[in-house]
Amino acid sequence: MKIRRAWTGFGIAAATLLVAGCAAVPKAEAPPPALKPAPAPTPPPPAPEKSWEDRALTAGAWRYDAGSRTASFVQSGNPGPLLSLACSGGSIRLTSGLDGDVALRTSAGADQIRFDGGSASVPSGDARLDRIAFSRGRFALEGTTGALTLPVQSEIGRAIEDCRG
């Protein structure tokens, strides 16, 4: 009998604990302290102007005239070329709307070409011409009066090589 009472007492105690564990009401936690509003984020700095390598190419196409030994970059619907490279004696005459000191940017580096009245004369053996002809995909001419980002195509090398003889 004593064993039976022990088991009964144990069963009642276990049931009480089981019910008590399920019936317990959790205490509400204190709300977290109010956070100070975060200061407004500072606006991002203005996006830097794209470098010449990332700018879109100037729209147009290269044309070569074997009779005048001239490569011209022309936009459709525009009768005048944006840039022309013409053989003139032992030099290449570059003609465009640019004036003054113009930065020449190629994949091989940067240099300067002086345009006076919209044209510049460069000796046909000048390394800057090779940098233009062999630049990887594009080159740029940047002056105070504007910038051209032009594709490199075979017409450029043809004008230069024809002038070198």
Side-chain angles (χ1 to χ4, degrees):
M1 259 288 204
K2 288 185 180 183
I3 295 177
R4 199 172 198 191
R5 273 190 203 186
W7 278 108
T8 305
F10 177 73
I12 293 173
T16 304
L17 284 176
L18 183 65
V19 171
C22 293
V25 177
K27 292 183 181 179
E29 292 183 19
L35 298 174
K36 293 181 182 178
T42 56
E49 188 177 314
K50 289 184 176 181
S51 73
W52 72 273
E53 293 134 327
D54 298 326
R55 283 192 303 246
L57 293 172
T58 304
W62 284 99
R63 305 281 185 257
Y64 182 73
D65 180 15
S68 64
R69 298 187 300 176
T70 301
S72 299
F73 188 81
V74 182
Q75 290 183 308
S76 61
N78 187 354
L82 292 177
L83 177 68
S84 64
L85 290 85
C87 182
S88 176
S91 64
I92 298 282
R93 177 165 291 295
L94 288 88
T95 307
S96 78
L98 301 171
D99 201 23
D101 287 327
V102 174
L104 167 65
R105 304 201 187 283
T106 67
S107 60
D111 212 325
Q112 295 283 321
I113 297 178
R114 176 85 183 153
F115 279 76
D116 290 316
S119 67
S121 186
V122 179
S124 63
D126 195 305
R128 292 175 291 184
L129 295 172
D130 292 327
R131 288 187 203 134
I132 292 172
F134 295 110
S135 188
R136 292 188 185 125
R138 64 180 61 213
F139 71 99
L141 293 170
E142 301 170 341
T144 57
T145 57
L148 299 172
T149 305
L150 303 174
V152 173
Q153 292 181 348
S154 61
E155 292 84 354
I156 298 168
R158 174 92 187 265
I160 294 167
E161 288 303 313
D162 282 357
C163 198
R164 290 179 177 166

